[in-house]
Structures are given as structure tokens and as C-alpha cells.
């Protein structure tokens, strides 16, 4: 029976990032995924300058990722149903001036390729169960291509990076999310998209609240176009998401002109959004959860890649330290939960509060009018959405907001 320091279940951005950091620290790592790469993954395809790029920089891969992207977006466009449109740009001198857009089929395969020289990777391999020894995870049972006999691999630690339907989370008895916060995304690729190709566009429409419709350019007149909303709202609404998608594309005044003549060149694909809901445990005896398996999707923007990579880095740091101590108990691995809360807590709490606010009809239009008419508030919002996590904590406190907004009473910007 092969013995590893860590077995990572799932080879997407979370699993690959965690494997890279652990293996480069000298740990023996096995990465397994039921899919074979490259594989398509339904997603918005945006790689954020505030979350993902700083992690890629720490890996020495940020420059290569820039070359991999098919679009670089320096601006953000945020709109409601009827109110003004906000256009936000990064602060002057920002270290990462642009979000990158790259199809997940390309990005995920490339990132996994960076891991292969340092860790063992098994594709087309499904984990069938966790192995336990004296109440602690001690490895996994695998089955190649879903057939044949099970193989058993032991490890000192198991990392669950296996997405929204995480087997690792279920078998470890971890419930990091809440059903009411689960979202559904629907993505399409469209050719012939008109208009700007250097901005990420978010349309917070009342009919999707607190979700949104997006247009993320891929270059060459192609774009990733889709919508996301809470699953409970899908059930309450009835009908199909595909019909809702088509209705918005055909009747929204701005999107109708942006997408006039554009055609879908691939089938619409849906996927679950494990939106963050609160600080439940994401660790147990011999187990850590990262990425979508840990329910870390941004509840306002739906972004998962950035938080997945941040959680992967923190998990790898914690795992390396605890393995050196021979401490993989529930109590020892709680250090990961503390680091996760310290790194992401203030931002996710603010986003959760904003999500609640966006449930109110007309909330985004009212917010857009307020921000559009106050320079200090607009600058605070621009800083909030363009500043890397490490420098963002001062902005998301009440004191930080007051500092930015104080004295901004006079309208300074006309809505567009």
C-alpha cells in the first residue's frame, strides 16, 4: 500500500494549487481526479487580479498566466435594472491592473501541468471512499476509470478539493455550507459579441436578485455569457434557466444591443455555486476542505477560482507545518480554519451582507445612484473591488468606510 504525506482529491485550481505548494515544500503528494485533462468546466472563466493573481505570483506563475489569457479586463461595469451604470477602474499603480479571462479547459490543464514535475497525478480515477484509522482519515480507495478493482492508498492527510458534491466532506462529516445559500450558474459561449472587450460586465437585474447576468470577453468577438441565482429562487420561479437566459438576451435594452447578431457556439451548461454562508468547520481529523468543497464561492460575484486558490495556499501551509509536528488531529488542523477566517473573513462577511441587501427590489439601482453621486464612496468601492486581499482589511471595516465617505456630500458624477 503506497504511503503519501497528502492525498488531494480533485485537480482543479484548488487541488492543483495545494499540491504545488505542498510538493514544493518537499511533501510526497498524490493528486487524483475522476476527469481527464483538459476538460471543460462550467464557469465565468475570470481569473481575478485581487485573489488568484497574487497566489499565482507567489507560485512564480503570474507572468505565464498573463500570456495564457485571451482577454485582459482593466474595468468593471456594474449595472442594475434601470439605474445608472458604474464603471470601476483599478487604482493608479495597481500591481495587477487587469483581470484575466481564460477558458477553464485551458487554464486548469495548464495549472495541473505545473504540478506534474513535483507530485504524482492520477487522472480518470474516482475516489470511492476514505480510509480511517483510529478515527482519523488515513487514505483513500480509488477505482480507475470507474471500473476494475479498488486500489488502496494511505496518507497522513486527505485534502478535499472535489467540488460542490464533495465525497470527502460527506464522509468526514463536514457541512461547510447551507442549502439556502446554494446557487446555480448557467454559462454559454457566444460569438459575434459587440462592444468593449476590456471590461467584466455585471448586470444585477431584479428578476435575478440577488444574482446577476454577466458578459466576460474572451477576445475576438467571443464572450462567456451567463447568469447566476439562488437555487431556491430557481425552484420558486419554475420554468427553465435556458428560457430565462434567452429572454434576458433578447429583451434587456443594453444586452439586446450588445448581443445582437451573436450566436451561441456551444451548449448552455449549468453548475452549482457553493456560496459562502458562514464560518463552519472546514477541517476534521486528518481532513482539510478547500475551494468549492469548502463553500467559499463569493456570494455577490459568484467567483470561485480566487478563493479556491487562496484556501489552497493556506491549507498547504497548515498541512506542511502540522505534518512536521506529526499533528493531524481535528484540534491541530483547526489552525487552517483560523487562517482562512483571518484571510477571507472580513471580505466574505461584507459580501454576505451585500447579498442580503441585493434581495431587496431596486437595491442595486439605489446603490448605483448613491455611488455615482459621491466621489469618495465611488473611490472606496473601486478600492474594495481592485485591492488584493492582503491590503483590503482596512477597507471593509466600518471605520474604513467612514474614513472614505466622510465629507462626501456633494454630487460629483453624472450617471451614465
Amino acid at each position: 500500500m503506497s504511503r503519501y504525506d497528502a492525498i488531494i482529491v480533485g485537480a482543479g485550481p484548488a487541488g492543483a494549487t495545494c499540491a504545488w505548494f505542498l510538493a514544493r515544500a518537499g511533501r510526497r503528494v498524490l493528486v487524483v481526479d475522476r476527469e481527464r485533462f483538459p476538460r471543460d468546466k462550467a464557469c465565468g472563466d475570470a481569473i481575478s487580479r485581487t485573489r488568484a493573481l497574487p497566489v499565482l505570483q507567489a507560485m512564480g506563475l503570474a507572468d505565464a498566466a498573463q500570456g495564457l489569457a485571451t482577454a485582459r479586463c482593466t474595468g468593471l461595469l456594474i449595472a442594475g435594472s434601470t439605474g445608472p451604470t458604474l464603471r470601476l477602474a483599478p487604482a493608479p499603480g495597481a500591481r495587477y491592473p487587469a483581470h484575466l479571462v481564460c477558458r477553464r479547459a485551458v487554464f486548469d490543464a495548464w495549472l495541473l501541468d505545473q504540478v506534474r514535475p513535483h507530485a504524482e497525478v492520477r487522472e480518470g480515477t474516482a475516489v470511492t471512499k476514505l480510509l480511517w484509522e483510529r478515527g482519523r482519515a488515513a487514505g483513500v480507495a480509488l477505482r480507475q476509470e470507474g471500473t476494475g478493482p479498488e486500489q488502496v492508498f494511505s496518507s497522513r492527510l486527505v485534502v478535499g478539493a472535489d467540488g460542490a458534491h464533495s465525497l470527502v466532506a460527506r464522509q468526514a462529516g463536514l457541512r461547510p455550507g447551507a442549502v439556502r445559500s446554494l446557487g446555480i450558474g448557467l454559462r454559454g459561449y457566444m460569438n459575434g459579441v459587440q462592444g468593449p472587450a476590456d471590461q467584466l460586465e455585471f448586470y444585477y437585474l431584479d428578476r435575478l436578485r440577488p444574482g446577476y447576468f454577466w458578459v466576460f470577453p474572451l477576445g475576438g468577438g467571443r464572450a462567456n455569457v451567463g447568469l447566476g441565482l439562488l437555487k431556491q429562487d430557481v425552484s420558486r420561479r419554475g420554468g427553465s434557466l435556458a428560457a430565462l437566459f434567452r429572454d434576458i438576451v433578447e429583451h434587456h435594452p443594453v444586452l439586446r444591443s450588445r448581443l445582437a447578431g451573436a450566436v451561441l457556439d456551444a451548449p448552455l451548461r449549468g453548475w452549482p455555486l457553493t456560496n459562502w454562508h458562514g464560518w463552519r468547520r472546514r477541517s476534521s481529523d486528518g481532513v482539510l476542505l478547500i475551494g468549492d468543497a469548502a463553500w467559499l464561492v463569493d456570494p455577490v460575484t459568484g467567483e470561485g477560482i480566487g478563493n479556491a486558490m487562496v484556501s489552497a495556499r493556506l491549507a498547504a501551509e497548515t498541512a506542511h507545518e502540522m505534518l512536521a509536528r506529526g499533528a493531524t488531529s481535528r484540534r491541530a488542523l483547526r489552525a487552517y480554519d483560523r487562517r482562512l477566517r483571518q484571510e477571507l473573513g472580513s471580505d466574505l462577511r461584507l459580501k454576505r451582507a451585500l447579498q442580503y441587501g441585493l434581495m431587496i427590489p431596486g437595491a442595486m439601482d439605489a446603490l448605483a445612484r448613491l455611488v455615482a453621486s459621491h466621489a469618495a464612496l465611488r473611490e472606496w468601492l473601486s478600492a474594495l473591488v481592485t485591492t488584493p486581499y492582503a491590503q483590503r482589511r482596512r477597507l471593509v471595516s466600518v471605520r474604513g468606510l467612514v474614513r472614505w465617505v466622510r465629507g462626501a456630500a456633494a454630487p460629483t458624477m453624472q450617471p451614465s
Side-chain angles (χ1 to χ4, degrees):
M1 183 169 65
S2 300
R3 175 79 169 177
Y4 297 88
D5 290 314
I7 294 176
I8 299 175
V9 184
T17 300
C18 187
W20 190 93
F21 278 107
L22 269 176
R24 290 292 293 260
R27 296 297 173 185
R28 188 172 183 226
V29 178
L30 170 64
V31 186
V32 297
D33 198 292
R34 66 172 58 247
E35 303 285 346
R36 289 192 175 275
F37 290 68
R39 54 89 175 99
D40 186 28
K41 177 71 168 66
C43 177
D45 294 335
I47 302 165
S48 71
R49 60 184 167 215
T50 58
R51 310 179 191 191
L53 279 175
V55 178
L56 287 167
Q57 180 67 40
M59 299 168 72
L61 300 174
D63 289 343
Q66 298 274 352
L68 196 71
T70 56
R72 302 175 76 253
C73 296
T74 54
L76 295 177
L77 181 148
I78 302 174
S81 292
T82 60
T85 296
L86 301 177
R87 290 178 173 83
L88 305 176
R95 184 173 186 181
Y96 309 105
H99 299 282
L100 308 181
V101 187
C102 179
R103 290 177 57 238
R104 287 287 298 275
V106 175
F107 178 74
D108 290 13
W110 167 80
L111 190 58
L112 185 58
D113 283 345
Q114 314 312 306
V115 175
R116 295 183 195 277
H118 312 292
E120 183 179 345
V121 177
R122 287 176 173 253
E123 301 171 71
T125 303
V127 173
T128 57
K129 62 185 177 184
L130 300 188
L131 306 178
W132 300 89
E133 186 176 296
R134 285 175 287 187
R136 189 174 303 180
V140 299
L142 308 177
R143 181 171 282 126
Q144 189 78 16
E145 303 289 3
T147 61
E150 284 187 337
Q151 295 177 285
V152 172
F153 295 83
S154 69
S155 66
R156 300 168 65 191
L157 192 67
V158 176
V159 180
D162 48 341
H165 305 294
S166 172
L167 177 144
V168 175
R170 290 197 309 274
Q171 296 207 352
L174 292 170
R175 299 178 179 273
V179 172
R180 63 182 177 277
S181 67
L182 182 66
I184 298 292
L186 187 71
R187 179 217 69 191
Y189 288 120
M190 300 190 79
N191 257 322
V193 177
Q194 303 175 37
D198 61 352
Q199 63 185 19
L200 302 179
E201 301 179 25
F202 299 81
Y203 297 87
Y204 289 89
L205 309 179
D206 271 350
R207 63 193 304 189
L208 300 177
R209 66 178 191 274
Y212 67 92
F213 194 97
W214 72 81
V215 180
F216 295 169
L218 282 162
R222 197 164 187 250
N224 181 315
V225 180
L227 58 85
L229 67 169
L230 292 176
K231 183 179 180 180
Q232 62 187 16
D233 293 335
V234 176
S235 302
R236 193 162 47 233
R237 173 189 301 276
S240 74
L241 285 183
L244 178 61
F245 176 94
R246 288 191 295 269
D247 188 62
I248 292 172
V249 167
E250 293 170 4
H251 296 102
H252 187 275
V254 174
L255 293 168
R256 183 174 56 201
S257 60
R258 286 278 277 124
L259 304 175
V263 294
L264 282 168
D265 63 3
L268 293 171
R269 286 196 61 188
W271 78 103
L273 296 166
T274 50
N275 296 316
W276 181 86
H277 186 77
W279 288 115
R280 304 182 183 193
R281 288 202 63 143
R282 289 158 170 87
S283 64
S284 189
D285 291 298
V287 174
L288 297 173
L289 299 181
I290 59 178
D292 287 3
W295 287 63
L296 292 174
V297 173
D298 187 303
V300 171
T301 68
E303 186 207 348
I305 297 175
N307 283 351
M309 296 182 71
V310 170
S311 69
R313 174 179 58 80
L314 296 175
E317 291 172 359
T318 305
H320 180 57
E321 292 175 14
M322 296 307 163
L323 288 169
R325 299 179 192 175
T328 58
S329 68
R330 179 187 181 94
R331 181 176 180 181
L333 293 179
R334 193 155 196 165
Y336 166 65
D337 294 275
R338 290 193 294 269
R339 289 174 176 178
L340 200 59
R341 183 179 299 201
Q342 182 178 16
E343 183 89 7
L344 302 179
S346 55
D347 184 79
L348 287 174
R349 284 193 299 271
L350 176 64
K351 295 296 183 59
R352 181 62 178 156
L354 285 173
Q355 185 189 46
Y356 278 123
L358 290 173
M359 293 179 182
I360 302 170
M364 177 52 74
D365 292 316
L367 178 62
R369 282 191 289 269
L370 177 65
V371 173
S373 62
H374 293 86
L377 187 56
R378 189 173 68 257
E379 290 169 4
W380 174 83
L381 185 61
S382 291
L384 179 68
V385 300
T386 61
T387 301
Y389 272 148
Q391 302 140 34
R392 193 184 288 185
R393 294 190 192 98
R394 62 184 176 83
L395 296 170
V396 297
S397 66
V398 173
R399 181 179 298 176
L401 175 58
V402 170
R403 187 182 298 120
W404 277 91
V405 176
R406 182 179 292 159
T412 58
M413 171 183 171
Q414 293 299 316
S416 63

